Amino acid sequence: SKQMPSNTICFLNLSFNDFALLHNSYKSYLESNSLLESYNETINNINEKFNIKLLEQMTEAITHRGPDDLGLQIFKDKYFQAGFGQRRLSILDLSQSGHQPMSNLNKDIWITFNGEIYNYLELKRELIELGYQFKSTTDTEVIIYGYQEFGADFFGKMNGMFAFCLFDKRKSEFILVRD
C-alpha cells in the first residue's frame, strides 16, 4: 500500500486504555507477590523519561513538509506519555491562529492534523448555529468543535483528504482518523 507523506507526528508511548487493562491485572499480580513498591517506582521512571528531544528530532526531520511553523505538545498522565509534533504548511489561515497542535478553549481536546476538509465551511456554519465561536479560519478548528459536539460521528460528515490524531483529555483517549 502507498503511504502519503505527512507533516504530522503522533508519538505515543502507550495509550491510556491499553495501559489501564494491563495495569489493573499486573498490579493485582504484584500486590499478591509483594512487588508493588518496585512497580510504582517503574511507573514514576517511565513518566520522567519522556524523550522530548526525540520528538523534536522527529519533527525536525519533516521540516520540508511544513516550513511555515513548528508546534509541539506533550501529554503526561500517571499511565501514559504522548507528544504531538507538527510542521505546518500554511494554506487556509496564514496567521498564528492556525498554529498546531491546536486545542479547544478548555484545552481538553487536542489535534494534530494534515490534509484538507473540502466541506469545512458548511460544517462550520452548522457549528456556529449551535453557538460555537471560532478564532481561526482553519478546517482544523472545525474538526475540534465538531468532535466536541457530535463525538466521533462527526468524522463521517467530513469530505476531504486527511489524517489526524485527536486527544480527548476528558476520556483519556487518542483517536487516529484518516479519510
Side-chain angles (χ1 to χ4, degrees):
S1 71
K2 184 177 178 183
Q3 291 186 330
M4 289 178 52
S6 180
N7 61 343
T8 299
I9 292 175
C10 179
F11 178 58
L12 305 176
N13 283 8
L14 194 56
S15 74
F16 175 78
N17 288 334
D18 291 341
F19 187 82
L21 293 172
L22 293 172
H23 170 72
N24 290 335
S25 59
Y26 191 56
K27 186 175 176 186
S28 297
Y29 167 79
L30 292 174
E31 285 174 340
S32 67
N33 290 289
S34 303
L35 298 171
L36 189 57
E37 185 175 331
S38 172
Y39 174 71
N40 286 334
E41 183 178 328
T42 300
I43 293 301
N44 290 335
N45 287 339
I46 286 172
N47 280 333
E48 291 172 8
K49 292 181 182 177
F50 184 84
N51 193 338
I52 184 67
K53 292 291 182 200
L54 178 59
L55 182 59
E56 288 171 349
Q57 290 170 353
M58 292 168 67
T59 307
E60 187 65 30
I62 59 171
T63 299
H64 62 284
R65 297 283 306 145
D68 298 332
D69 192 16
L70 163 67
L72 300 172
Q73 181 64 39
I74 306 303
F75 308 103
K76 286 189 174 185
D77 193 317
K78 181 177 179 181
Y79 302 113
F80 73 88
Q81 325 166 59
F84 284 173
Q86 175 75 29
R87 293 301 311 208
R88 183 168 178 228
L89 178 61
S90 303
I91 296 173
L92 290 178
D93 185 337
L94 306 181
S95 74
Q96 270 302 107
S97 297
H99 178 78
Q100 289 188 55
M102 185 183 285
S103 72
N104 63 350
L105 288 175
N106 295 334
K107 298 202 178 296
D108 56 11
I109 299 173
W110 285 85
I111 192 170
T112 184
F113 168 78
N114 183 43
E116 185 177 356
I117 308 302
Y118 305 138
N119 63 333
Y120 82 99
L121 291 174
E122 172 189 326
L123 298 170
K124 184 176 184 175
R125 279 192 295 276
E126 181 180 353
L127 292 165
I128 288 171
E129 287 175 10
L130 293 171
Y132 286 91
Q133 296 180 355
F134 293 82
K135 65 178 184 176
S136 77
T137 58
T138 65
D139 47 3
T140 306
E141 193 175 17
V142 172
I143 298 168
I144 293 170
Y145 291 114
Y147 170 79
Q148 182 174 314
E149 180 67 28
F150 300 107
D153 290 340
F154 181 74
F155 307 145
K157 295 181 174 196
M158 298 180 346
N159 178 17
M161 293 182 3
F162 53 86
F164 61 88
C165 184
L166 187 138
F167 175 53
D168 186 336
K169 282 177 97 171
R170 305 166 304 176
K171 299 178 182 179
S172 293
E173 287 183 350
F174 290 91
I175 302 169
L176 299 171
V177 180
R178 67 162 296 198
D179 59 77

